[in-house]
Amino acid sequence: MTTTPQNDTGTRDLAAAFADYAPSVEGRDIVTIRPRYGLLSGGEERDARDGAVFATIDPSTGDHIAEVAEGSAQDVDDAVAAARAAYESTWRDMPGRTRAKYLFRLARLLQDRSREFAVLETIDGGKPIRESRDVDVPLAAAHLFHHAGWADKLEYAVPGMTGRPLGVVGQITPWNFPLLMVAWKIAPALACGNTVVLKPAETTPLTALLLGELAREAGFPPGVLNVVTGAGATGAALAGHPGVDKVAFTGSTEVGKAIRRATAERGTRLTLELGGKGAHVVFDDAALDQAVEGVVDGIFFNQGHVCCAGSRLLVQEGIADELLGRLRRRIELLRVGDPLDKNTDVGAINSHAQLERIRGFVEDAREDGARIHQTSRPLPERGFYFPPTIVEGLGGSEAICREEVFGPVLAVQTFRTEAEAVARANATRYGLSAGVWTEKGSRILWVSQRLRAGVVWANSFNRFDPASPFGGMRESGFGREGGRQGLQEYLRLEPVGA
Ligand code: ADP
């Protein structure tokens, strides 16, 4: 029996609150994986019209898992038409409390099958089962519950304003949190009365498809939630579709810019949650043990495949040797390996292409004269793995300090003063997350007010809750997910009485 820690609403604690629904997981035999999956359109599972498929593989071994329908522009068109019909015939005008019932039912079904979802997520994406089980699946359920609760209370979401749904929403999700990002997106959209065409990432489509199946089981009217699988071309067809009233995208900054152009052409509403290069700023008065754990969690959680990862460490000069010594010893203790092993800390890199990208950044840094520190433990022989890595001796202009690596790689710089720390932390085109580690409350305020990041954590990192808005600024995107702010992104607002 797990108890919920008091006075703290962070990720782990929320997970603890849902722990009864995320019991221990044994292995692969918990899930039945079919050799072939269709896309979900208009309440039916069917092949792509042209019969195209793509393969999804297990990154921990490189083995083929299943074939999945590759949706074409025509399939996107069909799904958008189904979503429009569902919007106009049922979902838009349904009382909020009835929409809520469907969402609550979906959330409960997800909890009932949480073990299966956790194992499937880990097989398809490579993340440690402990994370799928304790973070991704419980948080996905929490998002569905939270937004189900809003469906009949939308008049209170924005005081003084009446919110109406937008229509058909196109949502494109990434591979790093395949199920959780789907929940973040569909929950507010559906709660607000919109219908959805979802395009999950091509390397991790299976949990989105399973959630789509659960929506059918929960009795959602056909066409309310459509899942069109495929790669970039499928996503581009969705983002540029004239029948889509709003696009929500989470992924790379480059693709986000292309989507921004496509939606600007048509005046389609848009939210973008893009890349990041988050900095931990650790001052010499910080509680070092706590800071070490926060920094480790900030960059090695989910193999560093996290847009808000703390991929840069800015440490005050006086404690740099001590902190880095502790960090080097700490990463020796991280277990890298089979994602289905409950003791694994760092699982598989999501794809071969991503592994090559990470290697490229680290090799370039080595050539630039940086000092590379990696764990000495052997990596599995098969599959895509990269050791936890700390890169020191950097000036700040190197690519590894500027670009999003999206891997278990921490770039370290030092600073002397608060002003220098802020300047270094802000020396990035991104603006998603940051962390401040210090005992002084006044310093937390001074620094966090000056950091250009959508989310700033103080003496903690990677804490999420459905009630708190998440999102970026600058090249990390715009718009918020979660909280009342997240609901506003799916509503057309008018003054009350208008
Ligand atoms: P990454 O580079 O980390 O794989 P991407 O931004 O390429 O991230 O992918 C995020 C999501 O965007 C995936 O679902 C992917 O299929 C989709 N996608 C890729 N290219 C495009 C595009 N041109 N238009 C719309 N969606 C796209």
Side-chain angles (χ1 to χ4, degrees):
M1 177 74 197
T2 314
T3 53
T4 307
Q6 301 296 306
N7 304 322
D8 195 337
T9 54
T11 309
R12 303 305 187 271
D13 315 302
L14 196 65
F18 280 79
D20 288 348
Y21 300 99
S24 67
V25 174
E26 277 99 41
R28 282 172 190 272
D29 50 346
I30 284 173
V31 288
T32 308
I33 299 180
R34 290 190 269 137
R36 190 155 174 168
Y37 290 82
L39 45 84
L40 304 176
S41 185
E44 285 176 9
E45 177 177 353
R46 59 171 184 76
D47 289 338
R49 275 181 182 256
D50 60 7
V53 292
F54 64 96
T56 182
I57 62 163
D58 176 346
S60 73
T61 57
D63 291 344
H64 173 102
I65 306 176
E67 277 181 350
V68 180
E70 175 147 21
S72 63
Q74 179 69 62
D75 295 305
V76 168
D77 210 37
D78 293 344
V80 171
R84 173 69 53 195
Y87 177 69
E88 288 174 1
S89 64
T90 58
W91 202 248
R92 173 185 61 190
D93 302 318
M94 186 182 273
R97 64 178 179 280
T98 315
R99 282 202 304 270
K101 275 188 205 166
Y102 287 106
L103 283 165
F104 277 124
R105 215 180 283 158
L106 181 62
R108 283 196 300 268
L109 286 172
L110 172 59
Q111 286 185 324
D112 288 348
R113 292 174 66 178
S114 58
R115 295 200 312 164
E116 193 180 337
F117 270 92
V119 171
L120 192 59
E121 193 75 321
T122 282
I123 292 174
D124 205 18
K127 65 174 63 198
I129 188 68
R130 221 176 41 212
E131 293 178 9
S132 309
R133 183 195 63 186
D134 295 348
V135 180
D136 296 64
V137 176
L139 265 183
H143 272 267
L144 289 167
F145 277 115
H146 176 87
H147 288 94
W150 270 114
D152 62 349
K153 303 173 194 70
L154 292 172
E155 64 211 89
Y156 305 108
V158 190
M161 306 293 270
T162 301
R164 298 185 209 289
L166 302 172
V168 175
V169 176
Q171 302 185 316
I172 301 170
T173 49
W175 45 259
N176 57 341
F177 294 93
L179 174 71
L180 183 57
M181 288 301 106
V182 167
W184 274 32
K185 291 214 166 5
I186 67 167
L190 297 176
C192 290
N194 305 282
T195 54
V196 168
V197 179
L198 170 74
K199 209 297 284 173
E202 57 271 35
T203 57
T204 52
L206 297 184
T207 48
L209 286 170
L210 187 57
L211 195 70
E213 265 177 54
L214 283 201
R216 281 204 296 179
E217 207 179 311
F220 275 70
V224 168
L225 174 61
N226 307 275
V227 184
V228 183
T229 40
T234 315
L238 179 59
H241 196 287
V244 168
D245 299 294
K246 189 232 157 87
V247 173
F249 171 78
T250 298
S252 63
T253 292
E254 285 57 44
V255 173
K257 286 180 182 176
I259 290 178
R260 191 165 189 182
R261 283 190 289 273
T263 50
E265 284 285 320
R266 301 183 187 281
T268 312
R269 274 182 64 166
L270 176 66
T271 45
L272 293 177
E273 204 264 89
L274 309 177
K277 194 72 196 174
H280 284 278
V281 183
V282 185
F283 287 95
D284 57 10
D285 64 338
L288 282 197
D289 285 340
Q290 201 183 327
V292 166
E293 290 312 306
V295 170
V296 165
D297 182 54
I299 187 59
F300 302 121
F301 172 62
N302 198 24
Q303 297 75 244
H305 300 331
V306 183
C307 45
C308 58
S311 52
R312 291 182 294 153
L313 168 62
L314 305 180
V315 53
Q316 201 158 17
E317 271 183 7
I319 55 158
D321 289 345
E322 174 66 22
L323 183 73
L324 288 168
R326 289 191 196 204
L327 270 175
R328 287 189 212 112
R329 287 194 294 279
R330 180 66 180 84
I331 67 167
E332 279 295 319
L333 301 175
L334 294 175
R335 293 176 62 136
V336 184
D338 179 5
L340 279 174
D341 182 333
K342 278 183 278 190
N343 296 314
T344 291
D345 297 303
V346 179
I349 300 300
N350 182 260
S351 66
H352 187 254
Q354 186 59 22
L355 180 61
E356 288 302 309
R357 188 177 148 79
I358 298 167
R359 279 190 183 136
F361 275 112
V362 174
E363 284 320 307
D364 286 352
R366 201 191 298 275
E367 278 168 25
D368 285 345
R371 294 188 302 279
I372 314 290
H373 181 87
Q374 293 179 316
T375 47
S376 55
R377 289 171 178 241
L379 300 179
E381 282 170 13
R382 294 179 68 215
F384 315 138
Y385 291 93
F386 197 82
T389 301
I390 300 174
V391 185
E392 298 169 37
L394 295 164
S397 59
E398 301 84 351
I400 210 156
C401 295
R402 289 182 289 109
E403 302 297 328
E404 184 177 49
V405 177
F406 227 56
V409 180
L410 181 68
V412 182
Q413 293 173 258
T414 57
F415 68 87
R416 285 188 190 154
T417 64
E418 287 168 359
E420 189 188 351
V422 169
R424 287 195 171 229
N426 287 340
T428 166
R429 62 191 171 112
Y430 296 111
L432 190 54
S433 69
V436 189
W437 298 86
T438 172
E439 290 288 279
K440 283 200 192 88
S442 58
R443 189 181 253 171
I444 290 173
L445 289 177
W446 193 92
V447 172
S448 57
Q449 281 163 359
R450 285 161 182 78
L451 289 173
R452 287 189 292 186
V455 184
V456 180
W457 285 289
N459 294 326
S460 65
F461 209 83
N462 273 346
R463 299 281 170 153
F464 304 98
D465 189 286
S468 64
F470 180 90
M473 53 175 73
R474 309 176 81 210
E475 291 195 31
S476 292
F478 52 81
R480 293 292 177 265
E481 293 186 303
R484 289 195 299 112
Q485 293 83 346
L487 288 168
Q488 292 177 35
E489 308 284 355
Y490 289 100
L491 293 170
R492 186 162 48 83
L493 296 170
E494 290 165 4
V496 171

